[in-house]
Amino acid sequence: MILKGFKEKSNVKHLNKLLSERQVNVTDKKIESLGVILNIDEIDDFKLFRVFADFLKIRENKLKIIAFSENDKDTLTSWDVCFNPKDFGWKGVINNIELQTFLDTKYDALVSYYTKDVLELKMMTAKSKAQFKIGIVQSDERLNDLIIKTKLKEFDVFKEETIKYLTILNKI
């Protein structure tokens, strides 16, 4: 139990370091690839994001959706790409090759669709190499470039507002 606390503290320190060193580089490059991080404990309808990607004219092979759950993987057989706290080590080290590949991919945009204040979700967003990060209101506003203030269950509002602001920013 004590080691778990030390591990969490080292990961918080790593997260704060990542966020303080982050340089926002927003360009008017069109969005052609999209990554999505969601908390499957909060929302499990990944089809919403496929429809959203279709609306943004993003091809199927340029879309990657991953989920995070605080539960064990054994209970989540219906989802292919789901990660849990065991995939994270000390000082922000990722113990899962598939998750590390997702984070190293340079997506044009990343959607972080979760509201719970979970350290691992924030680390995934911060470690992502995505050019432009979009999220809903969270406790740490340094994570995303575009923050849409909406409730988690109001996906249509999130979609409309995101499209509106991406159009203004000349990204779609």
Side-chain angles (χ1 to χ4, degrees), residues 81-98:
V81 188
C82 188
F83 304 101
N84 64 15
K86 293 178 183 175
D87 293 317
F88 297 84
W90 290 72
K91 297 182 183 179
V93 173
I94 305 296
N95 296 330
N96 187 306
I97 295 170
E98 199 171 352

Side-chain angles (χ1 to χ4, degrees), residues 31-37 49-50 52-54 56 58-65 102 105-112 130 132 134 162 166:
I31 294 176
E32 295 174 0
S33 61
L34 179 68
V36 178
I37 299 172
F49 296 99
R50 293 198 191 284
F52 179 61
D54 285 343
L56 294 176
I58 295 174
R59 291 180 292 170
E60 183 87 20
N61 64 338
K62 296 285 189 173
L63 172 68
K64 180 74 173 174
I65 303 171
F102 175 84
T105 304
K106 293 187 178 183
Y107 296 103
D108 294 329
L110 174 77
V111 173
S112 301
F132 189 71
I134 306 164
T162 302
L166 291 178

Side-chain angles (χ1 to χ4, degrees), residues 26-81:
V26 180
T27 63
D28 61 351
K29 182 180 183 251
K30 303 288 185 197
I31 294 176
E32 295 174 0
S33 61
L34 179 68
V36 178
I37 299 172
L38 59 92
N39 187 347
I40 200 165
D41 298 334
E42 293 178 300
I43 186 168
D44 61 353
D45 191 2
F46 64 94
K47 292 177 185 169
L48 292 172
F49 296 99
R50 293 198 191 284
V51 172
F52 179 61
D54 285 343
F55 194 80
L56 294 176
K57 296 182 177 84
I58 295 174
R59 291 180 292 170
E60 183 87 20
N61 64 338
K62 296 285 189 173
L63 172 68
K64 180 74 173 174
I65 303 171
I66 64 168
F68 176 83
S69 175
E70 294 180 280
N71 302 322
D72 287 338
K73 287 182 183 178
D74 301 334
T75 61
L76 300 168
T77 55
S78 63
W79 189 266
D80 338 339
V81 188

Side-chain angles (χ1 to χ4, degrees), residues 105-160:
T105 304
K106 293 187 178 183
Y107 296 103
D108 294 329
L110 174 77
V111 173
S112 301
Y113 203 74
Y114 54 88
T115 56
K116 274 189 175 177
D117 191 19
V118 179
L119 176 63
E120 289 84 3
L121 283 167
K122 293 194 294 188
M123 281 181 46
M124 289 165 65
T125 301
K127 286 176 103 35
S128 172
K129 304 252 189 298
Q131 297 291 319
F132 189 71
K133 298 179 182 179
I134 306 164
I136 54 179
V137 174
Q138 297 161 355
S139 61
D140 196 344
E141 295 179 352
R142 302 175 295 170
L143 290 169
N144 298 304
D145 303 317
L146 175 62
I147 300 170
I148 306 296
K149 186 175 182 179
T150 184
K151 293 185 174 112
L152 197 64
K153 300 293 181 185
E154 298 174 343
F155 187 79
D156 290 334
V157 175
F158 173 80
K159 179 177 147 185
E160 289 172 18

